[in-house]
Amino acid sequence: MKPTILLTLLVSTLLSSIASAGLKIYYIRHAEGGHNVKKEWQAKGVPESEWPSYVGNPNMFTPLGLTQQAAVPAKLKKYEFDFIASSPMWRCRHTILPYLKEVGAKGEIWPELSEQPASTRILKKDLPKPLVPILGAGKKVGLPDNELEYFSIREDGTHRFIINRGDKGPGAADRSAAAARMVIQDVLDRVQTRFGGTDKSILFSGHGSSGMAVLRMLTQDPLDGIGGIANTGMWMVEEQENGEFKLMMFNDLPVEPSVSLPQTEIGKVTVSQSALKGIGVEKGVMRRDPSDVIKVGDLYYVWYSKGHLSHGYDATVWYATSLDGKDWQEKGMALAKGAAGSWDVGSVFTPNIMVAEDRYWLFYSATSKEYFKGFGPDSKIGIAVSDSPDGPWERLPTNPALKNSDNPADFDSHLVDDACLIVRDGKYWFYYKGRQLGKSPAETQMGLAIAEKPEGPYVKHPENPVIPGNHEVMVWPQGKGVAAMIGKVGPAEIVESILYAPDGIHFSKTHDVVRGPVGGGAYRPEAFADSAKGKIPEWGVGIRTRGRSQLPCIHRFDVSE
């Protein structure tokens, strides 16, 4: 069994004075600001003169940030707060401002919640005592007139603190951490003075680094295995009867005493490949991009692209069945190309299947143009539905169910394809891959869209892309979370691995993968059960290629841990 750290986080001496009965402290990080994406735009090589106005501006939200901000009122209205405080920075105030307006509440400005370089060093025992004024030694805090109805400046909080970020001499990191600890300790002392001995609920609106600093000081734990606070992500600690504080929520996910996070030790899975009968090698025939495998009665079913070109851009969707997952019988075409002039007239390929409401939902990628030399794919994703896995299939009139973004800056502004479906929390989770305009296939990333009904509408997640790489989408429910197998495309730190996300959104690496499948479709018996019992798939099917002399075919893979 891998080493774990239990997420039962206890308060220690730095907060021993805050001994109240059930005090709850909530913290929300600001929405994504223009400063958060500056490095991303620099890496794109786009001239600064062509950047959108928000890039690099901490006083503007990105398009994603605006979406996050719009969702904050509904998130915060789930709770009742007795007191609200915010960093004086524009991005923190404006993250909660729509909520304050909706509920008629007023927040107090706490300069000590401003951003600061508060790393795990803040817990170091032998930090030096600051020799210069820190608290209240900075610039004066101000508010625009149109926000005075929603915020007030604390009487003894009219000035910000100062931490000398330009200090580069010997011991500079310790001096910076000592100053940061003084600031955060002031926050904790104020909590004790105003709320000690109560069962109040308080909300802080602040920054990522500062938010982790407050949490570390509360728990006296470096929290190395927990990651950072997402934009508009929330954490909450609650005091227990014995005076200890326990982390109850992180990045909006409830944390139970029995829940643990993996340490940095990484597991390994090994994949073996074997030939298949019926849908394997056939001269002059291309079969590729198999769906995930489902079982209906005694039969396994798989859908795939079939055509005569190795890349699949002349394909239609076919299907096959098997009693044992090894010997397959091709049953025929499931979905032909669309009608003349339609969005899916060029090719239909890369299918996947979802079972919901006693029906079968066939997701497929498609292009609007026939393949030709110099062809550039414009794929979108549609859905066809049937009462039987053998068809007939009826295209939904609302197709395409998912299309590329109209915003050139988005990761999926060029195309979307390769659906992978699970049922989670009673909703339909649709993982897909997307490519940005001007990017190569090697720069493909993975996104997520969610719907209340199997036919949609599917709404793209505001934190897309959820995985910064992968050219094929192979996802499954694993326990209460979601896992994904990553192939050879993507950042070096995630290729040929399994990633896991307790919330299905924020993924981290858990396994290395040896000889992983190409374009794999897995047998996932818990994919649509919403049972929290899913595990790493034991087998599936993928693409086999043998150079230009042989068109792609489908073969089997088996997984061992």
Side-chain angles (χ1 to χ4, degrees):
M1 181 178 293
K2 294 179 293 185
T4 60
I5 53 173
L6 294 178
L7 282 182
T8 304
L9 303 174
L10 306 179
V11 71
S12 67
T13 55
L14 281 172
L15 199 66
S16 58
S17 58
I18 305 181
S20 58
L23 175 65
K24 295 183 180 69
I25 303 172
Y26 293 81
Y27 190 103
I28 184 169
R29 185 187 176 192
H30 61 77
E32 184 180 80
H35 64 299
N36 294 128
V37 299
K38 183 176 180 179
K39 289 183 178 179
E40 176 184 332
W41 278 84
Q42 289 173 331
K44 292 178 180 179
V46 178
E48 191 168 342
S49 60
E50 298 178 16
W51 289 359
S53 58
Y54 62 81
V55 177
N57 189 342
N59 295 329
M60 289 184 69
F61 291 134
T62 66
L64 173 58
L66 291 171
T67 301
Q68 293 169 340
Q69 180 201 38
V72 165
K75 175 187 288 192
L76 295 184
K77 282 194 285 189
K78 298 176 184 177
Y79 312 100
E80 293 185 4
F81 303 113
D82 299 291
F83 174 77
I84 300 171
S86 174
S87 159
M89 305 306 289
W90 180 93
R91 55 191 180 273
C92 299
R93 302 194 319 265
H94 280 249
T95 292
I96 63 170
L97 184 57
Y99 165 75
L100 298 178
K101 290 180 176 180
E102 283 197 24
V103 302
K106 193 167 186 175
E108 188 171 85
I109 300 299
W110 281 27
E112 299 80 15
L113 293 174
S114 295
E115 185 68 291
Q116 54 182 302
S119 69
T120 56
R121 191 180 291 265
I122 199 172
L123 301 178
K124 193 175 177 181
K125 294 184 181 298
D126 56 349
L127 291 176
K129 183 177 180 180
L131 300 177
V132 296
I134 302 294
L135 296 167
K139 295 180 180 180
K140 188 174 182 179
V141 174
L143 286 170
D145 290 344
N146 62 358
E147 291 184 33
L148 294 176
E149 181 180 352
Y150 307 104
F151 293 101
S152 62
I153 297 175
R154 200 182 68 224
E155 288 186 5
D156 62 347
T158 57
H159 288 74
R160 298 178 185 175
F161 59 83
I162 287 182
I163 292 180
N164 184 8
R165 296 177 184 240
D167 183 358
K168 303 295 184 182
D174 280 357
R175 288 192 293 274
S176 176
R181 185 160 71 186
M182 173 180 284
V183 174
I184 299 302
Q185 186 62 55
D186 187 76
V187 171
L188 303 188
D189 290 344
R190 291 181 185 279
V191 170
Q192 157 62 19
T193 300
R194 297 178 67 164
F195 306 106
T198 73
D199 60 356
K200 302 290 187 183
S201 293
I202 65 176
L203 171 69
F204 290 141
S205 178
H207 308 261
S209 178
S210 299
M212 290 304 298
V214 173
L215 189 54
R216 287 175 177 129
M217 292 278 284
L218 280 168
T219 63
Q220 285 296 286
D221 190 309
L223 303 172
D224 290 323
I226 203 170
I229 310 170
N231 290 111
T232 65
M234 291 179 67
W235 58 253
M236 186 271 281
V237 293
E238 181 178 13
E239 189 190 23
Q240 306 301 293
E241 291 183 0
N242 60 3
E244 297 173 341
F245 273 73
K246 182 188 297 183
L247 183 63
M248 306 299 292
M249 178 173 71
F250 189 81
N251 276 338
D252 305 306
L253 290 175
V255 176
E256 301 172 2
S258 59
V259 172
S260 60
L261 290 177
Q263 290 277 29
T264 55
E265 183 174 318
I266 301 298
K268 183 173 75 172
V269 299
T270 300
V271 180
S272 59
Q273 324 281 343
S274 57
L276 292 176
K277 296 180 179 179
I279 53 177
V281 177
E282 183 177 348
K283 186 176 181 179
V285 176
M286 175 279 298
R287 295 183 183 90
R288 58 175 297 154
D289 311 318
S291 70
D292 291 305
V293 177
I294 64 169
K295 192 174 186 180
V296 183
D298 294 328
L299 287 177
Y300 295 105
Y301 281 76
V302 68
W303 290 258
Y304 46 90
S305 311
K306 183 179 179 182
H308 301 283
L309 299 176
S310 62
H311 45 60
Y313 287 125
D314 68 333
T316 53
V317 174
W318 288 56
Y319 80 111
T321 63
S322 174
L323 286 168
D324 61 4
K326 298 176 182 178
D327 189 351
W328 292 83
Q329 290 188 333
E330 189 165 71
K331 306 297 287 186
M333 184 189 296
L335 199 68
K337 297 177 184 180
S342 66
W343 70 277
D344 56 356
V345 67
S347 58
V348 288
F349 57 97
T350 318
N352 216 331
I353 194 72
M354 180 170 69
V355 183
E357 298 182 351
D358 296 322
R359 306 188 81 188
Y360 299 87
W361 306 81
L362 185 65
F363 287 64
Y364 64 97
S365 304
T367 60
S368 66
K369 297 174 288 186
E370 296 281 350
Y371 177 78
F372 58 92
K373 188 175 182 179
F375 167 85
D378 61 349
S379 58
K380 300 170 178 58
I381 300 175
I383 305 173
V385 64
S386 175
D387 293 327
S388 165
D390 296 294
W393 298 93
E394 179 182 354
R395 286 170 160 90
L396 298 188
T398 51
N399 281 340
L402 198 74
K403 60 182 182 178
N404 55 302
S405 170
D406 294 326
N407 183 351
D410 287 345
F411 87 102
D412 56 357
S413 55
H414 181 184
L415 55 80
V416 296
D417 68 295
D418 202 357
C420 190
L421 299 309
I422 63 172
V423 177
R424 178 175 169 82
D425 300 329
K427 297 182 180 181
Y428 302 94
W429 288 47
F430 175 175
Y431 291 89
Y432 66 98
K433 70 182 183 187
R435 195 196 317 168
Q436 187 177 357
L437 285 166
K439 300 288 188 179
S440 72
E443 296 170 287
T444 298
Q445 301 183 78
M446 280 178 55
L448 168 66
I450 300 175
E452 301 284 342
K453 299 178 180 179
E455 66 268 30
Y458 284 89
V459 178
K460 293 180 181 179
H461 198 278
E463 295 191 48
N464 277 346
V466 295
I467 294 178
N470 209 20
H471 194 62
E472 49 263 323
V473 184
M474 182 172 151
V475 173
W476 61 90
Q478 185 163 307
K480 294 183 179 180
V482 178
M485 187 174 287
I486 310 300
K488 296 183 179 181
V489 173
E493 61 269 21
I494 69 167
V495 295
E496 298 181 289
S497 72
I498 291 176
L499 306 183
Y500 175 76
D503 60 355
I505 300 162
H506 302 97
F507 286 84
S508 58
K509 182 175 177 179
T510 61
H511 293 75
D512 288 316
V513 176
V514 179
R515 296 187 299 275
V518 175
Y523 176 54
R524 313 171 303 159
E526 301 297 324
F528 315 122
D530 205 2
S531 64
K533 295 179 180 179
K535 59 182 182 179
I536 296 175
E538 296 179 357
W539 69 278
V541 291
I543 305 171
R544 178 186 177 188
T545 57
R546 286 290 179 90
R548 296 183 179 181
S549 62
Q550 179 183 300
L551 288 171
C553 65
I554 298 174
H555 67 169
R556 177 179 167 123
F557 67 84
D558 289 88
V559 180
S560 60
E561 292 190 63

